[in-house]
Amino acid sequence: MITKQMIDALPSSTWTRADYDACTNLNQSAAKLLLVSPGHFRDYLDSPRKETAALRMGTLVHLATLEPERFNTELITIPEDAPKKPTEKQRNAKKPKPEHLEAVAWWENFDQLAKGKTIVDQDEQEQAKAMGLALSSELKHWGVKAIAQELSLTCTYSDIALKGQLDLISEDGWIYDLKSMEKRLSPYTVRSSVYKWGYQFQAAFYCLLFKQVFGFRAKGFRMVCVEKSKPYATGIYEISGELINEGMLQVTQALESYKACTAFNSWPLYP
């Protein structure tokens, strides 16, 4: 059984997201691309990350669910009645109009308030908060008690340095991952999403990390899902052992490809 002492003993137990991102170990998102082609994997590593609306919302939902205190203190919205941001020409005018002076003063004050915070749209914040509350209620309803949240794990497997950041590990040893879903929840739509986004690969990768780090297997991998539209319905879905085994075959294939490409420093596209 996993204990708090086991988690606290990990060097990565206190990692922030910045610490995790700075670690160059292979993660599941990148490894998954090796199944497309090594060239796609290499391009992913070499290209700057672009924040999409979906990724941004996912980050906000995770924050609202797992760290509600930070969600409430580290985000700030621009009020709907905020004055239009003045241009450089308006700021530097020799005889600025009174309304421009008021706008400059308002934005200077807002910039001070926003220091160290993330600026989000009001609708975006309200949606993320509602989704986070729905996910938290779902976890509470099923009596899921976290022993660790957003825990970074690292290990070496088959001579390859791996990493992963697990959303939640429960006291009884299950891995839980938060998922925002576009479609209405049902066993069919969730299973379709599993294959579309390769969640069986993620489940196998995280279970492998867990086993390598703690020396025993996780109870399993469950997804805590929430719909992206009102009324933000939720559900918990378990990735079956059969699907995890399927994912492990894919992980093995990806890691073998990684070792071969690294050895020859060759990253081909499709054969």
Side-chain angles (χ1 to χ4, degrees), residues 60-78:
L60 292 176
V61 171
H62 275 68
L63 194 63
T65 308
L66 303 175
E67 300 182 87
E69 297 83 6
R70 287 186 58 207
F71 182 88
N72 291 328
T73 59
E74 296 184 11
L75 303 182
I76 189 169
T77 61
I78 300 174

Side-chain angles (χ1 to χ4, degrees), residues 1-3 143-148 168-174 176 219:
M1 183 66 68
I2 191 167
T3 65
V144 178
K145 296 181 179 179
I147 196 168
L168 187 152
I169 300 175
S170 64
E171 290 179 347
D172 54 353
W174 286 85
Y176 287 85
K219 289 285 187 66

Side-chain angles (χ1 to χ4, degrees), residues 85-93:
K85 204 164 190 177
T87 65
E88 284 301 313
K89 184 177 180 180
Q90 290 169 342
R91 284 177 175 272
N92 299 322

Side-chain angles (χ1 to χ4, degrees), residues 5-248:
Q5 290 74 20
M6 296 169 66
I7 292 169
D8 291 341
L10 299 175
S12 59
S13 65
T14 58
W15 278 12
T16 63
R17 182 67 200 195
D19 295 325
Y20 176 80
D21 290 339
C23 176
T24 58
N25 292 18
L26 182 66
N27 66 14
Q28 65 91 20
S29 297
K32 200 183 299 179
L33 284 171
L34 287 158
L35 300 178
V36 181
S37 84
H40 286 78
F41 165 82
R42 190 72 253 176
D43 180 71
Y44 172 83
L45 292 186
D46 294 340
S47 301
R49 299 289 178 270
K50 294 181 179 179
E51 184 183 59
T52 64
L55 284 175
R56 180 179 172 86
M57 179 56 67
T59 299
L60 292 176
V61 171
H62 275 68
L63 194 63
T65 308
L66 303 175
E67 300 182 87
E69 297 83 6
R70 287 186 58 207
F71 182 88
N72 291 328
T73 59
E74 296 184 11
L75 303 182
I76 189 169
T77 61
I78 300 174
E80 292 182 1
D81 59 353
K84 187 176 180 181
K85 204 164 190 177
T87 65
E88 284 301 313
K89 184 177 180 180
Q90 290 169 342
R91 284 177 175 272
N92 299 322
K94 291 182 178 180
K95 294 183 178 180
K97 296 179 179 179
E99 59 267 28
H100 292 162
L101 288 173
E102 291 177 5
V104 169
W106 191 95
W107 279 100
E108 285 179 349
N109 180 62
F110 179 81
D111 289 341
Q112 285 296 318
L113 294 174
K115 275 188 177 179
K117 298 185 179 183
T118 301
I119 300 174
V120 296
D121 293 334
Q122 189 168 349
D123 290 345
E124 190 178 37
Q125 184 187 38
E126 290 175 355
Q127 180 184 357
K129 185 174 184 178
M131 292 170 68
L133 287 172
L135 287 167
S136 297
S137 296
E138 182 73 11
L139 289 167
K140 184 178 180 180
H141 173 75
W142 291 106
V144 178
K145 296 181 179 179
I147 196 168
Q149 295 185 165
E150 296 191 313
L151 178 66
S152 297
L153 298 180
T154 64
C155 75
T156 299
Y157 178 78
S158 190
D159 297 323
I160 301 173
L162 307 178
K163 71 173 183 178
Q165 192 171 63
L166 282 56
D167 286 346
L168 187 152
I169 300 175
S170 64
E171 290 179 347
D172 54 353
W174 286 85
I175 299 171
Y176 287 85
D177 197 75
L178 308 184
K179 301 293 185 190
S180 302
M181 311 294 281
E182 293 285 354
K183 297 181 179 180
R184 299 298 184 195
L185 293 179
S186 73
Y188 172 77
T189 58
V190 172
R191 189 176 181 88
S192 296
S193 294
V194 167
Y195 280 109
K196 179 179 180 180
W197 301 111
Y199 293 150
Q200 76 278 19
F201 186 101
Q202 180 190 18
F205 196 97
Y206 282 6
C207 287
L208 172 63
L209 271 173
F210 188 103
K211 172 70 163 55
Q212 293 300 115
V213 171
F214 297 114
F216 54 89
R217 297 179 186 276
K219 289 285 187 66
F221 184 95
R222 290 170 173 167
M223 302 188 305
V224 192
C225 304
V226 59
E227 295 175 0
K228 287 186 176 180
S229 56
K230 291 181 179 180
Y232 305 118
T234 55
I236 295 180
Y237 297 83
E238 182 180 335
I239 300 291
S240 68
E242 180 184 357
L243 274 176
I244 290 178
N245 288 338
E246 181 181 319
M248 193 60 215

